[in-house]
Amino acid sequence: MTSIAFIGLGNMGGPMAANLVKAGHSVQGFDLVPASREAAAAEGVASAASAVEAVAGAEIVVTMLPAGKHVRAVWAEIVPAAEPGALLVDCSTIDVESARAAHELAAGRGLKSLDAPVSGGTVGAKGATLTFMVGGAEDAFRAGEPVLARMGRRVVHCGGAGAGQAAKICNNMILGITMIGISEAFVLGEKLGLSHQALFDVASTSSGSCWALTTHCPVPGPVPASAANHGYKPGFATDLMLKDLTLSQEAARSAGATTPLGARAAELYRTFQEGGHGGEDYSAIVTYLRGLAS
Ligand code: NAD
């Protein structure tokens, strides 16, 4: 049994902390929102009165927060309060620069740290089937891997500090660009009189096949579980896709990479979100592209 502090008990953090309890660990949690603390307490997560209180006695500290500014603020509080020898793991999706700043804070006190963003959404968080993309030193990875494995199905060590966040935003940039490509193909197919099923049957078994098409097909019919058959209820919300595409473009700018399709995908998703669709699944972008024709 490991003593774990879990800070940020929202849609993802709540069920992740609950899975650590189910795995037999002692978990002490904190969230600013009392309702999140209460929901986690019902799953066996002991409620702390503050982030600093939560980390007292913890061998591993996990944070699951909205954005880089929250991680920087919380880590500034908890690093000085953490036990000597503790491992700090941030699972939020944040900018690479903030992730590296968090690692530096921990290193300043001689603490091990990992950035370990996830893929798999709330379904993966509940079912402990997340994929963790991990950045940090080898010894920190060895210390964190067994605990991350209780919250997910795959734990990949991507490299040094920030490499987990880098892998996450590169992967999601592929996903955003791909979904727009798939959606454009269906919209063109509609104009050419092609049925959704015919295009799906060909593309899913030909060179156009990819995970987004076969899992998140943006038109109703071919993939019964896809959001298109359920009123585009997320799934993976447009707001989160836009967040990740925006992070990819910030990273591209600061690293001096040119990502013209990533930039265009971010623009299209931003326009879609500004039209009031941020809460719809990211595959609903097909409805926006269809509308451009008229
Ligand atoms: P959420 O908003 O549901 O949860 C974040 C929690 O952090 C909230 O409960 C909030 O009260 C808490 N919080 C904020 N500041 C705090 C502070 N100073 N101290 C303590 N608690 C604080 O968000 P979420 O959906 O759980 O996402 C968390 C992270 O995971 C985000 O970075 C998101 O991009 C990433 N992510 C989300 C999904 C998803 O499908 N929801 C998928 C992959 C990655």
Side-chain angles (χ1 to χ4, degrees):
M1 186 182 82
T2 306
S3 175
I4 299 170
F6 208 114
I7 297 157
L9 302 165
N11 292 324
M12 296 292 289
M16 289 165 73
N19 282 328
L20 292 175
V21 173
K22 281 188 202 127
H25 297 301
S26 154
V27 184
Q28 183 146 258
F30 176 68
D31 194 291
L32 289 177
V33 176
S36 301
R37 293 202 296 273
E38 284 154 24
E43 300 290 332
V45 176
S47 250
S50 67
V52 165
E53 188 181 301
V55 305
E59 296 155 80
I60 297 188
V61 178
V62 183
T63 52
M64 191 51 163
L65 299 162
K69 63 178 183 195
H70 306 98
V71 174
R72 284 179 189 247
V74 168
W75 279 47
E77 275 181 58
I78 61 176
V79 163
E83 299 295 331
L87 166 70
L88 273 62
V89 185
D90 178 50
C91 293
S92 329
T93 301
I94 62 170
D95 57 290
V96 175
E97 219 172 288
S98 293
R100 291 190 177 139
H103 278 281
E104 275 167 29
L105 265 177
R109 251 210 79 204
L111 301 173
K112 295 191 283 294
S113 57
L114 296 171
D115 53 291
V118 303
S119 161
T122 51
V123 173
K126 286 192 188 105
T129 56
L130 296 168
T131 293
F132 287 88
M133 299 152 245
V134 188
E138 189 61 45
D139 62 333
F141 180 74
R142 273 199 304 276
E145 204 257 345
V147 164
L148 297 180
R150 306 316 293 256
M151 298 184 282
R153 202 154 42 193
R154 248 182 90 84
V155 183
V156 183
H157 192 196
C158 300
Q165 297 294 349
K168 166 84 186 175
I169 55 176
C170 289
N171 179 70
N172 280 18
M173 188 175 78
I174 296 173
L175 183 63
I177 293 170
T178 307
M179 182 51 77
I180 290 168
I182 295 165
S183 297
E184 288 187 0
F186 275 106
V187 169
L188 174 60
E190 287 165 6
K191 290 277 178 205
L192 296 173
L194 203 54
S195 75
H196 291 158
Q197 193 64 50
L199 178 54
F200 179 83
D201 288 346
V202 171
S204 63
T205 53
S206 305
S207 46
S209 187
C210 62
W211 183 89
L213 172 67
T214 56
T215 315
H216 291 169
C217 183
V219 293
V223 177
S226 82
N229 294 295
H230 303 96
Y232 293 105
K233 184 169 169 282
F236 184 47
T238 291
D239 281 337
L240 288 175
M241 173 52 84
L242 179 60
K243 173 187 173 183
D244 293 355
L245 284 170
T246 304
L247 288 175
S248 79
Q249 293 315 291
E250 285 168 15
R253 265 192 300 280
S254 72
T258 309
T259 56
L261 287 183
R264 186 71 185 118
E267 270 172 30
L268 288 168
Y269 271 105
R270 180 169 302 286
T271 307
F272 187 51
Q273 185 214 40
E274 286 171 355
H277 302 280
E280 292 174 19
D281 190 71
Y282 81 114
S283 61
I285 192 83
V286 71
T287 60
Y288 169 72
L289 295 167
R290 192 182 282 125
L292 290 180
S294 49

